[in-house]
Amino acid sequence: MNAVIHFSCSGQSKAVAEDLAKRLDYDLYETRSVEGKIFENVAIVFPVHCQSYPKPLKSFFKALNAKHVTLIATYGRAHCGNAIYEAAKLITGEIVAAAYLPAKHTYCESGETVFVPEEIVCKMRAPLPIKIPKLKKTPFAGFLPDLRSRLIIKIKKSKKCVSCGICGGQCPVGAIKNGNISTKCIRCLKCVSSCPQGALTVKQGSILRRYLRKPRYEKTLIYT
């Protein structure tokens, strides 16, 4: 079986995965819907969180049963970090291609959707193993990321909430129930984007607002 698998919070990585699956004529899955499946060729599209892979993906990467794996990481602001290298260390299959793609930041309202370079598509059709180089992170990138996210952004429930439970079903870490958020929240905003009532609102702290005003790091890195 060949597939493109995505972990997407605001929809950016999902859009990238949908386009890639269409170009390759591969099946499309979310990360949480592939348990027990065996793949020949697979591409995984995910966002960079604090210059690494999102925390919920650790167990997914370890359990992935695939012969050939391509890793596509979308990142939105300061630096791509070392997400692909760290993810590759957890995967037992052969890494055949990878790319860091500059994209819309989760906490920004606007931004253009990016697409996987054709070099990656060609390499997936003729897979051979490669080595992923280790990149440097900025200082403190991995220092208490969950706590930092709770300090710089707040998610609040409004009176529009009808307690439908959809947010809880979409949360990758089980941190919300009927709009009420626990300390497990990683501020990925999946609950905000999935709420059909628009009942969850986001308030950015001053530190985050200053960070988002800084110039973007817009470099595409391709490994084939």
Side-chain angles (χ1 to χ4, degrees):
M1 182 187 297
N2 299 325
V4 177
I5 306 170
H6 65 85
F7 178 89
S8 187
C9 302
S10 63
Q12 173 82 5
S13 295
K14 180 181 179 181
V16 174
E18 288 174 336
D19 174 73
L20 182 58
K22 184 177 180 180
R23 289 157 65 188
L24 288 164
D25 194 24
Y26 280 12
D27 294 331
L28 182 70
Y29 295 96
E30 289 189 73
T31 51
R32 59 182 178 176
S33 64
V34 299
E35 185 176 354
K37 296 186 185 319
I38 301 174
F39 300 100
E40 178 71 16
N41 300 296
V42 65
I44 306 165
V45 185
F46 61 94
V48 173
H49 284 186
C50 295
Q51 301 186 27
S52 185
Y53 56 80
K55 184 169 66 173
L57 289 186
K58 186 173 183 178
S59 58
F60 164 77
F61 287 137
K62 287 183 175 181
L64 181 67
N65 191 342
K67 183 176 180 181
H68 301 131
V69 181
T70 296
L71 296 171
I72 308 295
T74 60
Y75 71 99
R77 189 53 50 174
H79 199 278
C80 59
N82 203 31
I84 290 176
Y85 175 85
E86 293 175 357
K89 289 170 62 179
L90 301 175
I91 294 171
T92 57
E94 294 180 338
I95 308 299
V96 300
Y100 289 102
L101 305 180
K104 182 183 80 68
H105 194 283
T106 299
Y107 299 157
C108 291
E109 294 183 356
S110 61
E112 295 182 1
T113 299
V114 297
F115 301 100
V116 176
E118 188 62 27
E119 298 99 303
I120 297 292
V121 177
C122 292
K123 184 63 185 295
M124 289 185 67
R125 290 180 173 139
L128 289 172
I130 63 170
K131 289 187 176 181
I132 302 297
K134 184 177 182 179
L135 304 180
K136 292 182 178 180
K137 293 183 179 182
T138 55
F140 304 111
F143 180 72
L144 299 176
D146 294 352
L147 174 60
R148 283 164 40 211
S149 68
R150 290 197 293 271
L151 293 174
I152 63 175
I153 193 164
K154 305 293 183 183
I155 303 172
K156 294 185 177 181
K157 180 178 73 171
S158 74
K159 294 181 180 179
K160 294 180 181 179
C161 179
V162 295
S163 299
C164 64
I166 291 176
C167 57
Q170 292 294 315
C171 179
V173 293
I176 187 170
K177 183 177 181 181
N178 295 333
N180 299 309
I181 299 171
S182 75
T183 56
K184 294 192 294 183
C185 177
I186 59 173
R187 299 307 193 266
C188 70
L189 303 192
K190 186 70 178 283
C191 58
V192 177
S193 63
S194 64
C195 178
Q197 306 299 327
L200 296 170
T201 59
V202 176
K203 182 178 180 181
Q204 298 178 355
S206 58
I207 295 175
L208 177 60
R209 292 196 298 270
R210 287 197 298 269
Y211 170 73
L212 293 175
R213 286 197 294 266
K214 291 183 178 180
R216 278 186 54 166
Y217 183 84
E218 297 190 65
K219 189 172 183 179
T220 297
L221 300 178
I222 301 172
Y223 304 105
T224 55

